[in-house]
Amino acid sequence: MEAVPVGVPPELPGEAVRRGARLLRLRRAGRRLLWLVLCAAAVAFLTWAALTRPWAEPPSLTTPPVSGW
């Protein structure tokens, strides 16, 4: 407990700041890319749904039998 504390190398704080800044930039870029992909997927889905109307009943391929002629 009475020993002299070990000093921090002089280049260590600067390197830690550079690495931390780089990590923050990468995380921010990753978040932006994720939001961009999410928005593009939502636009693509809405466009597809508007064009194909998957909720509508498909048209009949056969005609009903005609009776009463």
Side-chain angles (χ1 to χ4, degrees), residues 9-20:
E11 69 275 355
L12 187 62
E15 183 66 26
V17 168
R18 280 192 295 278
R19 284 186 182 192

Side-chain angles (χ1 to χ4, degrees), residues 19-56:
R19 284 186 182 192
R22 187 178 69 208
L23 280 175
L24 286 176
R25 278 193 315 270
L26 286 174
R27 285 181 184 171
R28 189 178 306 131
R31 235 180 281 127
R32 285 180 182 169
L33 180 65
L34 185 63
W35 275 109
L36 180 67
V37 169
L38 182 65
C39 289
V43 167
F45 174 75
L46 290 174
T47 303
W48 170 80
L51 293 176
T52 60
R53 298 184 191 166
W55 58 86

